[in-house]
Amino acid sequence: MRELLEELARRLVDRPEDVSVEQFTEDAELVFEGVPVGPFRGKPAIAQAYAEQPPDDEIVILRTRESGENLVVADYAWRAEPAARAGSMILRLRDAEIDRLLVTFG
């Protein structure tokens, strides 16, 4: 399970254009902390968010760690400042799909 979560986190970071809304559950939630965006609930809202505001900043994953059975936390930095932690992505899976994605800044 951890490997799947880490792969999804890396895909979100390294190749956001490859992240398909199909990887989310029907009732998934995409939430941001530290910026005035979202939340987005359900596949249609998440798809619209990605289409209207695609990720444009490059980031690198600093480390990943498990946080419970179906959670992984991936700390990230902006590629321009790879030594400074910028926030975390917390992914929760349900039946091999993303159930909730929380992206924190700061």
Side-chain angles (χ1 to χ4, degrees), residues 11-30:
R11 221 180 294 157
L12 285 166
V13 171
D14 296 335
R15 299 180 311 277
E17 67 279 0
D18 291 345
V19 175
S20 167
V21 125
E22 297 307 313
Q23 294 172 300
F24 289 85
T25 62
E26 288 298 325
D27 60 347
E29 184 177 43
L30 173 58

Side-chain angles (χ1 to χ4, degrees), residues 3-15 19 59 61 64 72-74 89-91 98 101:
E3 292 80 18
L4 179 57
L5 286 166
E6 288 179 359
E7 173 58 25
L8 287 170
R10 289 194 188 287
R11 221 180 294 157
L12 285 166
V13 171
D14 296 335
R15 299 180 311 277
V19 175
I59 60 178
I61 293 182
T64 60
V72 70
V73 179
M89 293 188 313
I90 303 166
L91 291 101
I98 300 170
L101 172 58

Side-chain angles (χ1 to χ4, degrees), residues 32-45:
F32 296 89
E33 284 185 2
V35 294
V37 177
F40 305 99
R41 291 184 177 88
K43 279 186 181 182

